[in-house]
């Protein structure tokens, strides 16, 4: 950089150089003038000397020479030459000759006159010469100025009607200065047709006294066809009588100016168009933040018109702008700095939007202006918000991922991690960022990391197992997947999965497989999977059940079929076919015949797995070895049969015990029949026979025969071995029949019977014969017990009543010795008897019958003596609801509850 002082000194030097050059040139000119002058003087001296001219004449010649030479310009040279010439006159022409001495006073006078004349003439010549030079120079400058400014003059003389044009004006018109006759007409023709009339009018108007000054702009069409724009103005000189004498004017070619103006206007328009179409809002402010101009975008953004905005201040629509902020902005702008900040603008409707403001300083005529570019960043903010939200979403995804994410840069330093990575390693995110794999990987060496990196650079996704170390020093196995990608540089992403759980899961799976195998073994359940192509899988238990060797691989389907019992094979095949057709689950039971001749019962359940098209892909089948169950079932059936047989035997026993009583019951009607038949016969023998009476007698016979038949029928029912029935049993009727059967035995044992039955008939659902068997057992036991006691009345009471819970309670009371409390439960055990001839099965069978009917049987002490046996039965409408039949409210707390527990284990099992 050149500082001012240095520049000035250089300038001075240059000026000095210029000055010395000019001086030298002037000195040279003076020298040339002097030499020329001396040469001229010498020539004149020689000529005058030869011609014999005297001092006066020679002096005159000298004056002419010196004057001529002085035309060369230098007055100092002329002075020198005048002095030299005076010396020549003295030496060559004044006496004494050839001596610088003057003897004659006239000569002195003459030489002095010569000197004076010479100096005066040369001074005048020099001055005139200089004036002429100056004039010429000025003229040249004027011409130059005219040319430069395209400016010239014109003059019109109204007395001669002559027009003069300066050279430049001629050039502007494109005419030669010589062709100027009839100028006015030619002038008009040179004017552009559109401007011609106006120009002629203005020219004429200027010549009217008091009219407007001639000053106009018009276009010329030059003879060569080019067009120019000129401005011409002129003033008129008037004579005393108000006549125009002359008009002098100047003209300037302003084509370039107008063109430049036009260009400027066009460029201004272009600029405004550009500015108006800019997507940013432009504001031009003065120093006080008053709006000087705005573009269209500014108007659109703020909702004001341009003329409304101009004159407003930035405070009017900038809710964040404060005087202090404005002051700071102003200071920065004064320092020539650009100010940028994110702010807000308020629209005319009051709504506010975010803007990015960028202000530049602009100096105009010493004034600080500010150009502000305000960008509506609503979209950008929205996009930024979107981006932030999407980033957050991504982070949420990443954070909720079950895998740990690690993002590495090219130097294997962690750039980012997810929550899982922090949790698995026990570090915070900040702690992990910047770490190197070797900081938390205990298995990877630097060389392996480098190898992995190279593989990832080859666009490979690497997978490997390693161990990660937690902050607390413990380590755990992980499976890592890693890949490389570009995002603002080379990045590596690795996903680490804690495979402790996987290992545990594998272990759990192994264990559960073992459990399953064990469970299959224990439950004798085998599983197989097969499809049309054959067997796909057989579980160990399946091999065991079918007695195939697992070492020989999956058994051939034909061999499996062969193993099915020949009697069951066709049925199984048929059912299989049907199940395949229906594509449903199905169960089939069959036998298999093993090599050693053993038979196994198999319960097979098959479940088809269907393809999305609905075709059977595979069939999963379970095979349960139910041989044991079958055996147990058979045994249970046998037991049941045994139970039934026992009950039957019990009934037979009762019938045996009641033989006498029953015989009496049958004999009684038979005897009556006989008597009535006899009486009938006698009536027939009468003459005439009383047929009416006979008919009555025969009616009695039929009734009594029916009675006997009924009794026999009932006995047969009790003797008959029939499967248990489920019918509606009228309890009152059943009780009546039982009393009929035991009546004779009672009479014989002097036992009085009392029945107290329910008001409404009581019905239960069950087997009448079995229920009567229970009552008979209880009655016979009671009778026996009472017979064992000598004294006291023997009273038997049978009652039915409704329990509060809904069932029917039947009680059989006696006035016998009763049962000791500690024996009350034992008497229901099979083979428990206190009688020498007893079997001890009666009560056990009774309880089993009542249990089978959904009721309960128990015993208590009767008041004032004896025993009471009670049993409940569900009423007919509730017979299916066993629980509702429990009349526990009537049971004594201590023993009643025990009753259901001791429910005849011998028979039940
Ligand atoms: P068994 O009559 O063959 O002995 P039970 O099972 O009918 O078999 O009776 C078992 C025992 O219960 C009887 O031996 C007897 O001791 C007792 N017992 C049954 N009913 C009564 C009763 N009403 N009074 C007193 N003891 C009874």
């Amino acid at each position: 950089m050149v500082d001012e002082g240095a520049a000035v000194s250089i300038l001075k030097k240059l000026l000095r150089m210029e000055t010395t050059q000019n001086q030298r040139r002037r000195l040279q000119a003076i020298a040339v003038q002097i030499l020329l002058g001396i040469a001229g003087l010498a020539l004149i001296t020689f000529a005058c000397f030869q011609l014999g001219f005297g001092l006066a004449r020679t002096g005159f010649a000298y004056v002419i020479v010196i004057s001529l030479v002085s035309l060369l310009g230098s007055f100092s040279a002329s002075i020198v030459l005048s002095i030299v010439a005076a010396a020549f006159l003295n030496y060559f022409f004044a006496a004494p000759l050839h001596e610088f001495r003057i003897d004659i006073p006239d000569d002195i006078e003459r030489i002095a006159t010569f000197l004076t004349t010479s100096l005066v003439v040369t001074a005048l010549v020099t001055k005139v010469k200089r004036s002429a030079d100056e004039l010429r120079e000025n003229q040249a400058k004027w011409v130059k100025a005219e040319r430069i400014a395209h400016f010239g003059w014109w003059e019109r003389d109204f007395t001669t009607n002559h027009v003069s044009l300066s050279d430049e004006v001629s050039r502007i018109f494109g005419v030669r200065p010589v062709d100027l006759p009839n100028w006015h007409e030619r002038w008009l023709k040179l004017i552009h047709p559109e401007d011609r009339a106006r120009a002629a009018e203005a020219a004429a108007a200027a010549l009217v006294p008091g009219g407007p000054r001639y000053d106009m702009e018009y276009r010329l069409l030059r003879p060569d066809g080019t067009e120019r724009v000129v401005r011409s103005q002129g003033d008129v000189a008037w004579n005393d009588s108000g006549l125009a004498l002359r008009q002098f004017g100047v003209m300037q070619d302003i084509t370039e100016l107008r063109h430049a103006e036009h260009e400027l206007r066009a460029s201004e328009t272009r600029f405004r168009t550009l500015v108006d179409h800019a997507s940013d809002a432009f504001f031009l402010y003065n120093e006080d933040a008053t709006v000087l101009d705005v573009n269209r975008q500014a108007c659109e953004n703020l909702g004001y018109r341009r003329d409304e905005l101009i004159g407003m201040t930035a405070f009017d629509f900038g809710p964040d702008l404060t005087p202090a902020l404005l002051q700071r902005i102003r200071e920065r702008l004064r320092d020539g700095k650009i100010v940028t900040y994110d702010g807000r603008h308020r629209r005319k409707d009051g709504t506010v939007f975010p803007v990015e403001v960028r202000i530049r300083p602009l100096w105009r005529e010493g004034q600080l202006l500010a150009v502000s570019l305000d960008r509506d960043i609503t979209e950008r903010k929205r996009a930024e918000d979107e981006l932030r939200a999407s980033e957050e979403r991504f982070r949420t995804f990443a954070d909720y991922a079950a895998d740990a994410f690690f993002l590495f840069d090219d130097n294997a330093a962690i750039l980012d991690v997810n929550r899982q990575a922090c949790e698995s390693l026990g570090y915070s995110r900040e702690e992990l960022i910047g770490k190197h794999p070797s900081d938390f990987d205990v298995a990877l060496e630097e060389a392996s990391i480098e190898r992995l990196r190279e593989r990832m650079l080859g666009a490979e996704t690497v997978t490997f197992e390693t161990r990660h170390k937690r902050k607390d020093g413990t380590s755990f196995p992980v499976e890592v997947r890693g890949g490389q990608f570009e995002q603002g540089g080379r990045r590596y992403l690795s996903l680490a999965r804690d495979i402790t759980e996987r290992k545990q899961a594998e272990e759990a799976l192994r264990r559960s497989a073992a459990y399953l195998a064990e469970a299959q073994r224990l439950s004798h359940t085998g599983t197989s999977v097969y499809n049309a192509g054959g067997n796909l899988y057989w579980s160990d238990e399946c091999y065991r059940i079918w007695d195939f060797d697992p070492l020989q691989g999956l058994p051939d389907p034909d061999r499996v079929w062969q193993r099915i019992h020949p009697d069951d094979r066709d049925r199984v095949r048929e059912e299989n076919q049907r199940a395949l057709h229906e594509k449903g689950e199905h169960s089939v039971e069959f036998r298999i015949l093993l090599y050693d001749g053993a038979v196994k019962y198999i319960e097979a359940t098959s479940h088809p797995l269907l393809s999305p098209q609905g075709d059977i892909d595979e069939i999963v089948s379970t095979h349960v070895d139910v041989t044991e169950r079958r055996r147990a079932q058979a045994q249970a059936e046998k037991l049941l049969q045994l139970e039934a047989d026992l009950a039957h035997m019990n009934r037979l026993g009762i019938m045996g015990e009641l033989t006498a009583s029953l015989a009496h019951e049958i004999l009684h009607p038979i005897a009556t029949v006989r008597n009535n038949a006899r009486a009938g016969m006698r009536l027939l023998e009468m003459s005439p026979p009383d047929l009416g009476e006979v008919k009555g007698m025969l009616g009695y016979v039929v009734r009594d025969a029916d009675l006997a038949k009924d009794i026999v029928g009932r006995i047969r029912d009790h003797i008959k071995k029939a499967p248990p029935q489920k019918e509606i049993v009228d309890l009152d009727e059943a009780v009546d029949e039982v009393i009929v059967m035991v009546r004779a035995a009672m009479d014989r044992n002097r036992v009085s019977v009392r029945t107290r039955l329910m008001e409404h008939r009581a019905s239960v659902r069950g087997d009448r014969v079995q229920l009567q068997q229970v009552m008979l057992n209880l009655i016979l036991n009671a009778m026996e017990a009472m017979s064992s006691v000598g004294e006291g009345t023997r009273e038997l009471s049978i009652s039915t009543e409704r329990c509060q819970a809904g069932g029917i309670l039947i009680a059989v009371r006696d006035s016998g010795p009763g049962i000791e409390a500690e024996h009350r439960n034992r008497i229901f055990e099979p083979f428990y008897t206190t009688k020498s001839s007893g079997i001890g099965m009666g009560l056990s069978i009774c309880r089993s019958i009542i249990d089978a009917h959904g009721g309960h049987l128990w015993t208590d002490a009767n008041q004032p003596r004896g025993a009471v046996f009670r049993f409940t039965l569900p009423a007919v409408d509730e017979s299916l609801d066993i629980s509702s039949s429990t009349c526990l409210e009537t049971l004594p707390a201590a023993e009643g509850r025990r009753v259901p527990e001791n429910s005849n284990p011998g028979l039940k099992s």
Side-chain angles (χ1 to χ4, degrees), residues 237-285:
W238 310 89
N239 67 5
D240 295 341
S241 50
L243 268 175
L245 291 176
R246 263 188 324 278
Q247 192 180 19
F248 182 81
V250 288
M251 169 183 263
Q252 191 178 8
D253 182 346
I254 54 169
T255 313
E256 258 70 54
L257 188 70
R258 286 288 171 264
H259 188 70
E261 274 175 8
H262 181 262
E263 269 300 298
L264 189 68
R265 252 198 311 280
S267 111
E268 247 177 33
T269 313
R270 274 199 303 275
F271 178 68
R272 176 145 287 281
T273 312
L274 215 64
V275 164
D276 278 349
H277 281 84
S279 55
D280 293 341
F282 283 82
F283 294 84
L284 182 67
Y285 296 107

Side-chain angles (χ1 to χ4, degrees), residues 781-782 785 814 818-819 827 832-835 838-843 867 869:
N781 274 350
D814 65 57
I819 308 160
I827 57 168
Y832 178 84
T833 179
T834 54
K835 300 165 193 167
I839 312 171
M841 287 301 294
L843 288 177
F869 282 82

